[in-house]
Amino acid sequence: MITVSGARKSYGDFTALDDVSLEIPPGSLTALLGPSGSGKSTLLRAIAGLETLDSGRVAIAGVDVTGLPPQKRGIGFVFQHYAAFKHMTVRDNVAFGLTIRRKPKAQVRAKVDELLEIVGLEGFQHRYPSQLSGGQRQRMALARALAVDPEVLLLDEPFGALDAKVRADLRRWLRRLHDEVHVTTVLVTHDQEEALDVADRIAVLNKGGIEQVGNPVDLYDRPANDFVMSFLGSVARLGGLLVRPHDIELSRDRAAAVAADRSVPGSPGVIDAVVERVVRLGFEVRVELRAHTGERFAAQLTRAEADALALRPGDEVHARARQTQDVLEVDPALAI
C-alpha cells in the first residue's frame, strides 16, 4: 500500500500539488492521468523521494518514508527517456543494481537471465543499447528496475517517446508483465487510451488536485464531473449535454428518431443537423455534423451503420443520444 496524505508542493507562484491524498493498493497497477501541469509527475516524484513536499506525508507498506532518500524507499523508477549505460551490454545494464549491492555473481546471473526472459530480451544480453530499438531499450529499463526486487515500480511516461504502434505493443506487454510479477506499479501518463488499456485503477488529476479515483469502467461510465468525462475519451455537445460520440445515433427518419428518443432519461432531444464530413477510420466511421443551431459535433458509427445510412456531405440527418450521463454542467471548451 502506498499512502499519500495532504501532499502540497509549489514552485514559486505555481501550485503543483494542492492537498492531495491518495491510497494505492498493494499489487495494483495505478495510472496517474491528467493534462500537462496537472501534478501527476510531481506526485510520482514525491512518492519516489525525488521531490521534497512542502507539507504532507508519503508511506509505503505502512512505513513513513517522507524523510527518506530515494535509495532507501525500495522503489524502481523508469523515465520516458531512459539513460542506459552506453558502454555496458544489456546484461550489465540490467545487473547494475545488483552488482553495486555486491550480490553473489551466480545470484546476479540467474536473476538477470530470468528477467531477460520475462521481458523478451533473451538472446540480446551481449548487445549494447545502441543496437536495440526504442521499445527494446524500454524493456531493458524495466528489467533493470525490477532486478532489485522493488516494493514499488514507478513509471514516468515510459512509452511517450515511442511511435504509436510500439506504444500499443508495449502497453499490452506491460500489462502481461505486471500480471506475472505483481509489483505495486504507478504509471504517469497523459494518454487516456494507455490508462484505460493497462491500469487497474486511474486517478485523474487536474490543476494540482485529484478529480476522481476508480477503476477504468467506473470512471468512463460514471465520471464525477465534465472534466473527467471529457478527459477519458472523446465527447460531443448535443443539445447542451456532453455525450460520447459512440452514444449518438443518426437517422434519416425524424419521426422514428423522436419515437426512439422518448425512452432515454434526461435526453437533450432530437437534433437536426447537416453532415459536413464523413471520415472512415478502419473499423469505425466518424461523421462530423453541424446542428441547425450552429453547434458542431461528431458521431461515431460502425461501418455497418454508416453503410446503411450512406451519408454524404450536405445530407440532412437527425441525431439523438442513445444514453446520457450525469455530468450536466458543460464547459463548451471541453466539447469537440
Side-chain angles (χ1 to χ4, degrees):
M1 171 80 78
I2 302 171
T3 304
V4 180
S5 307
R8 295 181 184 274
K9 180 67 179 179
S10 296
Y11 303 97
D13 294 333
F14 176 71
T15 301
L17 297 176
D18 187 10
D19 194 23
V20 169
S21 295
L22 176 66
E23 289 190 351
I24 297 171
S28 68
L29 198 166
T30 298
L32 305 181
L33 175 68
S36 297
S38 61
K40 57 188 185 296
S41 288
T42 302
L43 179 56
L44 190 81
R45 291 172 66 84
I47 293 170
L50 298 172
E51 292 285 357
T52 302
L53 292 173
D54 298 333
S55 61
R57 63 186 292 270
V58 176
I60 298 176
V63 177
D64 189 339
V65 299
T66 309
L68 293 181
Q71 62 269 26
K72 293 187 177 180
R73 295 194 180 196
I75 59 169
F77 207 118
V78 178
F79 296 92
Q80 177 177 339
H81 298 285
Y82 180 64
F85 294 114
K86 297 178 181 179
H87 64 288
M88 290 184 180
T89 63
V90 168
R91 170 177 288 281
D92 290 340
N93 265 283
V94 174
F96 181 77
L98 296 170
T99 302
I100 63 173
R101 286 168 173 79
R102 300 183 183 280
K103 298 294 184 181
K105 289 184 179 180
Q107 180 182 335
V108 172
R109 189 180 305 111
K111 184 69 173 180
V112 171
D113 287 343
E114 176 190 2
L115 285 168
L116 290 178
E117 182 178 356
I118 289 174
V119 303
L121 288 178
E122 65 272 32
F124 290 80
Q125 57 264 45
H126 300 303
R127 294 194 185 186
Y128 290 88
S130 62
Q131 298 172 307
L132 302 177
S133 68
Q136 288 168 338
R137 283 195 294 270
Q138 284 299 68
R139 292 187 185 204
M140 182 184 71
L142 284 159
R144 178 173 164 178
L146 290 168
V148 296
D149 293 321
E151 291 186 52
V152 174
L153 180 62
L154 305 179
L155 310 176
D156 192 2
E157 304 265 13
F159 310 137
L162 305 172
D163 66 54
K165 185 180 186 309
V166 175
R167 281 204 310 273
D169 289 343
L170 282 179
R171 285 202 303 264
R172 289 189 289 271
W173 172 82
L174 176 62
R175 183 66 244 186
R176 292 194 299 270
L177 174 67
H178 181 267
D179 291 340
E180 286 186 38
V181 298
H182 298 294
V183 63
T184 303
T185 303
V186 185
L187 167 72
V188 160
T189 182
H190 65 271
D191 185 327
Q192 302 93 326
E193 183 179 341
E194 185 168 279
L196 291 168
D197 192 6
V198 303
D200 304 317
R201 299 171 76 252
I202 300 172
V204 181
L205 283 84
N206 182 36
K207 297 179 180 178
I210 293 179
E211 298 282 351
Q212 188 176 0
V213 181
N215 68 54
V217 173
D218 284 344
L219 267 63
Y220 191 86
D221 291 343
R222 291 174 286 280
N225 52 46
D226 55 2
F227 176 84
V228 174
M229 182 175 179
S230 66
F231 206 77
L232 278 173
S234 298
V235 292
R237 187 172 63 178
L238 190 67
L241 299 185
L242 288 181
V243 180
R244 300 288 185 197
H246 57 72
D247 284 330
I248 296 175
E249 182 178 86
L250 302 181
S251 174
R252 290 184 178 274
D253 185 337
R254 195 176 200 287
V258 170
D261 188 61
R262 294 192 182 115
S263 64
V264 181
S267 169
V270 174
I271 307 298
D272 299 325
V274 175
V275 176
E276 291 194 319
R277 188 170 179 238
V278 179
V279 184
R280 292 187 173 270
L281 302 169
F283 63 92
E284 66 185 30
V285 178
R286 185 177 73 242
V287 182
E288 298 175 2
L289 303 122
R290 185 184 73 254
H292 288 183
T293 59
E295 293 177 332
R296 284 181 164 84
F297 62 98
Q300 180 179 311
L301 309 180
T302 65
R303 289 182 65 178
E305 290 171 333
D307 289 345
L309 289 168
L311 297 174
R312 288 178 172 79
D315 286 355
E316 293 270 344
V317 293
H318 312 287
R320 72 177 191 91
R322 292 189 178 98
Q323 63 179 20
T324 60
Q325 291 169 292
D326 297 329
V327 286
L328 306 182
E329 290 296 324
V330 179
D331 179 350
L334 297 176
I336 61 171

